[in-house]
Amino acid sequence: MFITKVSLPKEYKPNKKYPLILLNDGEIYYLDLLKEKAIIIGLISNKRIDDFTPWKAENIKPGMPDFGGMADEYHKILFNSTLPELLSKYSIDTDKIAYGGYSLGGLAAIYSMSTTLVPNIIFSICGSFWYPGFVQFCLDTSFKNMDASVYLKNGKTEGSKHNNILSDSPVLCEKVHSILSKKLNDVTSIFDDYAHHEHLKTRYEELSKWLIERLCI
């Protein structure tokens, strides 16, 4: 379902406990500010439109495969199999486990809060909160992971060049931010002025600074 890419601090010491950051899509080079402060695991899915989606839905782009809705299976492997293996192999501070991603990877991370208590920190950059039914899901769901620190960042101009559900992305994202801010205990909600694929480096740098603060590293 996925492979892992491991980044350890250059001076990794087995007798020292390190924060663990689990990053969907595996683009760990965006987290350079954290590479000497934490163990970073890039999670590279071989079918992200299945693994990062919470339930089946028709694809919004003609000719593309439909969304598979296998996030539950993905998270079961991640938290029940992969994570225990990482804990047995590396020196990890179990009170400082962060999980998140970009776009569908961010959607999956937020969805995980309904099924597991494991991550202490959840982050989403440009989370695909336009996903069919996700706003209603957030309204109807009693999230398990109420006490995690949550970082939400979306762009005010996401979807501006589309004429499908993506064009409603800013409005739908605002609804999700608002719902989660009311339901959860520690939510940082941010909207910047950019579109979905813009300024990734800057966005990850700002996330990294937030993670450094939350992880106390």
Side-chain angles (χ1 to χ4, degrees), residues 12 17-20 22 39 41 78-79 81-97 118:
Y12 172 78
K17 295 289 186 180
Y18 293 87
L20 174 67
L22 302 166
I39 297 170
I41 306 296
L78 174 58
F79 295 120
S81 179
T82 303
L83 181 59
E85 290 175 6
L86 293 171
L87 293 174
S88 67
K89 188 172 183 179
Y90 303 110
S91 183
I92 294 168
D93 186 340
T94 55
D95 290 327
K96 295 182 178 181
I97 296 176
V118 173

Side-chain angles (χ1 to χ4, degrees), residues 120-134:
N120 315 102
I121 293 174
I122 299 285
F123 57 90
S124 168
I125 304 177
C126 294
S128 300
F129 301 147
W130 51 262
Y131 195 78
F134 194 69

